[in-house]
C-alpha cells in the first residue's frame, strides 16, 4: 500500500487548525488505497495552535507534530517536515485552506501517470488585494528574467512530490531555501495542476510585506548571479556618462559654447548619481556576502523544541 505524507506548516493558525485537519482528513478517508500521515509544523506560534494540534494528536496517531523553539519561517518549517516524512508521495499545503486539499485525488492521478512533481498553478486568486496580485506578477517576471532556471508563474509551495525528489531535496545543504525555485532546479518530470485559489478560511495572512520581500530576496539571490553582473554594467554606464561629460566640458572650453559656470545643482546631481550607483552596487554585493556568511556559520535551519508521535 502506498503512503501519502501531508506536510502543513503553521504559524498562529489557531483559527484554522481544526478545520484544516478536518478537511484534509475527509479527503484521505476517500482514498482507502493509500495509507497516510499528517506532519504539522508549529513554527513558533504564539497563540493556541500547538495546544489544538496536541489535542488532535492525542486522538489520531496519524498526526505528527514538530514544534520549533521560535519562529524560523515558512520555508524552514517545510524543510523540517520533509526531513521526517515516511510516505511514497508528499503533499505540501498551507494551513489557511486557500489551496484546497480536495485537489489531492486529481494530483495523485497525475503522479500515477509518472509525473514526479505536480505543482499547483493558480488560475485565480480569490480574496487577495490588488497590491499582492500586482507584486506577485512583477516578482515572477523579475525572477525569471534574472534566474538561470525557469520557475513556473502563479505557483507557490502547494505541490505533490515523489519521494525520490524529497530525498534529493533533503540532501541540499543550503540554509536560505526557496523551495519553489529548488523544485524547478532539481529537475525530474514536472506537471502543472491548475486550480482556483480560495480565500483564507479564517484569520489574517502570515506573509506581511517584510516576509514577502525576504522571500523575494531569497528567490532572486538564490537562483541568479545576474545582479552581480548588473553591478558591472552600472559601473560601465557611469564611466561612460562621466567620459561624455568630460568631452563636453573640453569642447565647451575650447569652442566657448554652453554655460560652464560652476553651480550647486550640477555638482549635487553628479555627486548623488555616482553615490547612488556605488551604494546600489554595495547593497547588491552585500546581499550575496550575507548569504555566504549565513552558510559558513553552520547554524541549523531551525531548532526543534518538541516532537509528538514521531519516533
Amino acid at each position: 500500500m502506498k503512503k501519502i505524507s501531508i506536510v502543513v506548516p503553521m504559524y498562529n493558525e489557531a483559527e484554522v487548525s481544526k478545520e484544516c485537519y478536518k478537511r484534509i482528513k475527509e479527503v484521505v478517508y476517500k482514498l482507502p488505497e493509500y495509507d497516510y500521515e499528517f506532519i504539522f509544523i508549529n513554527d513558533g506560534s504564539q497563540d493556541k495552535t500547538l495546544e489544538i494540534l496536541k489535542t488532535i494528536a492525542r486522538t489520531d496517531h496519524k498526526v505528527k507534530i514538530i514544534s520549533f523553539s521560535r519562529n524560523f519561517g515558512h520555508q524552514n518549517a517545510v524543510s523540517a517536515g520533509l526531513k521526517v516524512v515516511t510516505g511514497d508521495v508528499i503533499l505540501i499545503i498551507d494551513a489557511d485552506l486557500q489551496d484546497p486539499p480536495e485537489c489531492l485525488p486529481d494530483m495523485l492521478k497525475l503522479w500515477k501517470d509518472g509525473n514526479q512533481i505536480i505543482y499547483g498553478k493558480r488560475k485565480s486568486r480569490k480574496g487577495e488585494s490588488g497590491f499582492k496580485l500586482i507584486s506577485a506578477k512583477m516578482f515572477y517576471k523579475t525572477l525569471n528574467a534574472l534566474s538561470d532556471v525557469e520557475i513556473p508563474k502563479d505557483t507557490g509551495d502547494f505541490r505533490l512530490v515523489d519521494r525520490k525528489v524529497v530525498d534529493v531535496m533533503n540532501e541540499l545543504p543550503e540554509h536560505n531555501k526557496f523551495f519553489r525555485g529548488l523544485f524547478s532546479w532539481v529537475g525530474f518530470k514536472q506537471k502543472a495542476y491548475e486550480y482556483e485559489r480560495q480565500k483564507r478560511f479564517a484569520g489574517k495572512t502570515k506573509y506581511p510585506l517584510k516576509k514577502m520581500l525576504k522571500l523575494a530576496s531569497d528567490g532572486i539571490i538564490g537562483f541568479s548571479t545576474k545582479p552581480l553582473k548588473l553591478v558591472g554594467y552600472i559601473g560601465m554606464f557611469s564611466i561612460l556618462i562621466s567620459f561624455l561629460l568630460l568631452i563636453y566640458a573640453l569642447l565647451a572650453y575650447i569652442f566657448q559654447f554652453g554655460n560652464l559656470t560652476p553651480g550647486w545643482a550640477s555638482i549635487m546631481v553628479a555627486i548623488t548619481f555616482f553615490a547612488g550607483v556605488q551604494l546600489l552596487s554595495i547593497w547588491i554585493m552585500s546581499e550575496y556576502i550575507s548569504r555566504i556568511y549565513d552558510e559558513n556559520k553552520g547554524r541549523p535551519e531551525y531548532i526543534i523544541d518538541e516532537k509528538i508521535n514521531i519516533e
Side-chain angles (χ1 to χ4, degrees), residues 57-220:
R58 279 194 288 268
T59 58
D60 187 349
H61 293 286
K62 296 283 189 181
V63 172
K64 303 178 181 181
I65 302 171
I66 298 172
S67 184
F68 287 171
S69 62
R70 65 170 177 83
N71 178 241
F72 283 92
H74 181 274
Q75 300 295 284
N76 288 332
V78 172
S79 182
L82 294 181
K83 283 184 169 63
V84 300
V85 294
T86 60
D88 301 286
V89 61
I90 294 89
L91 177 71
I92 304 170
I93 186 170
D94 287 341
D96 56 20
L97 298 174
Q98 286 188 276
D99 304 321
E102 290 77 14
C103 296
L104 177 58
D106 290 334
M107 297 173 86
L108 283 169
K109 290 178 184 177
L110 294 174
W111 176 63
K112 286 181 179 179
D113 290 340
N115 299 291
Q116 293 161 297
I117 299 175
I118 298 93
Y119 55 88
K121 184 176 177 64
R122 304 154 181 164
K123 289 193 290 186
S124 66
R125 302 177 65 160
K126 299 177 182 178
E128 295 188 355
S129 66
F131 170 76
K132 190 165 186 178
L133 293 173
I134 293 171
S135 61
K137 189 174 183 179
M138 290 176 60
F139 165 66
Y140 280 105
K141 281 189 175 182
T142 303
L143 181 59
N144 279 315
L146 295 175
S147 178
D148 299 323
V149 178
E150 185 176 354
I151 299 171
K153 297 177 182 178
D154 298 319
T155 63
D157 293 311
F158 178 50
R159 63 194 63 216
L160 190 74
V161 188
D162 188 88
R163 176 75 206 201
K164 182 189 290 186
V165 180
V166 170
D167 289 340
V168 171
M169 297 291 285
N170 286 337
E171 292 176 0
L172 299 178
E174 60 197 79
H175 286 66
N176 294 292
K177 288 187 171 72
F178 179 67
F179 275 105
R180 64 197 73 173
L182 287 173
F183 279 120
S184 294
W185 181 83
V186 296
F188 296 102
K189 189 175 180 182
Q190 307 201 12
K191 182 75 173 179
Y193 173 77
E194 294 190 346
Y195 71 104
E196 302 284 347
R197 196 165 202 239
Q198 305 300 312
K199 296 180 181 179
R200 279 186 65 91
F201 175 77
K204 297 180 180 179
T205 179
K206 304 307 183 294
Y207 253 99
L209 181 60
K210 182 180 178 181
K211 288 188 177 182
M212 287 172 61
L213 292 173
K214 171 66 167 59
L215 185 67
S217 175
D218 287 341
I220 293 171

Side-chain angles (χ1 to χ4, degrees), residues 10-15 17 41-53 67-72 206 211:
M10 286 191 168
Y11 175 62
N12 291 341
E13 296 288 8
E15 295 176 89
S17 298
I41 304 93
N42 174 47
D43 187 17
S45 298
Q46 298 173 346
D47 60 4
K48 293 184 177 181
T49 298
L50 181 58
E51 182 181 326
I52 294 170
L53 292 176
S67 184
F68 287 171
S69 62
R70 65 170 177 83
N71 178 241
F72 283 92
K206 304 307 183 294
K211 288 188 177 182

